[in-house]
Amino acid sequence: MVTEQFSEEAKWFLNNLQLIQDDFAKSVGGQIVTTDKDGNLETKMSGAQRVCKLIMGTEKGKEKCGEAYKTALSLVKSMKEAAFMDCHAGYASLWVPIKVKGEIVGSITGCGGRYDRGESDEELKEKYSKLADELGITDKEDFLKAAVDEISPVSEEEMKERSGRLAKLVGVLAEETALKEVFGI
């Protein structure tokens, strides 16, 4: 992302989008990033969770996150609506399309929480212990603390509410001119 070439209006939009994204990530305890329609970053990651950093710290984790990202972005493009799913690690994720005149120009991606499926702590520890093995994470105890103890349960309804709020915030903030410039349409 080369912001130096943007107009003052587009720079203002991106700066304020980043601030809103940072504040929103902090308030919901999740991580959020905004991309263009090709998946290129338009903002910096806000609220990166420790467990995700540990997962992305492995080659296999990066690969699996990349695959999940491409699948979800493709789904959002075809559905033209927000998508909710588990990431490969079992955490709740949301994908909110950014539209201009019905055309998808980008998306807001959020992760945070774990869908509550009634799993006990022991079941979760077993599940994430297997994931640690698959990814080659050596400090299992630290990973389990991050994966189980630091991530709160969330409902799909809460994720839908979050996506609606995010879409409204971006819509209020953005003027069509800035959107066109930032997202290259």
Side-chain angles (χ1 to χ4, degrees):
M1 173 173 95
V2 183
T3 58
E4 304 85 50
Q5 299 173 348
F6 288 150
S7 68
E8 288 303 312
E9 183 181 1
K11 287 178 185 177
W12 177 89
F13 168 74
L14 281 172
N15 183 51
N16 283 287
L17 177 59
Q18 185 70 56
L19 292 172
I20 287 171
Q21 183 181 287
D22 292 345
D23 187 54
F24 193 83
K26 187 177 179 180
S27 74
V28 299
Q31 57 191 37
I32 301 169
V33 69
T34 301
T35 65
D36 67 15
K37 64 184 172 198
D38 298 319
N40 301 309
L41 297 180
E42 291 293 343
T43 61
K44 296 176 190 167
M45 176 70 71
S46 302
Q49 297 178 46
R50 194 166 75 85
V51 69
C52 293
K53 289 178 185 178
L54 293 170
I55 290 168
M56 293 291 288
T58 69
E59 285 305 312
K60 194 160 191 169
K62 280 184 203 173
E63 182 182 315
K64 287 191 169 276
C65 287
E67 289 169 6
Y69 184 79
K70 287 177 186 172
T71 300
L73 193 53
S74 175
L75 182 62
V76 166
K77 284 180 181 178
S78 66
M79 290 176 31
K80 298 192 184 229
E81 304 228 351
F84 307 90
M85 62 191 68
D86 284 354
C87 72
H88 73 93
Y91 294 109
S93 63
L94 62 85
W95 302 78
V96 180
I98 299 171
K99 300 178 195 175
V100 173
K101 296 182 180 176
E103 179 185 345
I104 294 179
V105 298
S107 78
I108 300 170
T109 304
C111 298
R114 173 181 59 249
Y115 288 124
D116 187 356
R117 295 200 169 85
E119 298 163 299
S120 69
D121 278 355
E122 291 309 311
E123 290 170 318
L124 289 170
K125 286 178 182 175
E126 184 179 327
K127 172 182 173 179
Y128 288 110
S129 181
K130 287 178 184 175
L131 179 63
D133 290 340
E134 288 172 23
L135 299 177
I137 294 174
T138 53
D139 189 347
K140 234 189 232 189
E141 189 175 314
D142 184 52
F143 181 73
L144 290 175
K145 180 178 177 7
V148 178
D149 299 339
E150 295 175 12
I151 303 294
S152 302
V154 64
S155 70
E156 190 166 327
E157 187 175 297
E158 287 173 292
M159 292 298 277
K160 285 180 181 178
E161 186 179 306
R162 290 175 186 181
S163 74
R165 284 187 280 159
L166 275 172
K168 283 179 189 174
L169 285 171
V170 172
V172 167
L173 182 64
E175 291 293 325
E176 190 174 318
T177 307
L179 275 173
K180 285 180 177 178
E181 189 175 343
V182 169
F183 292 103
I185 55 170

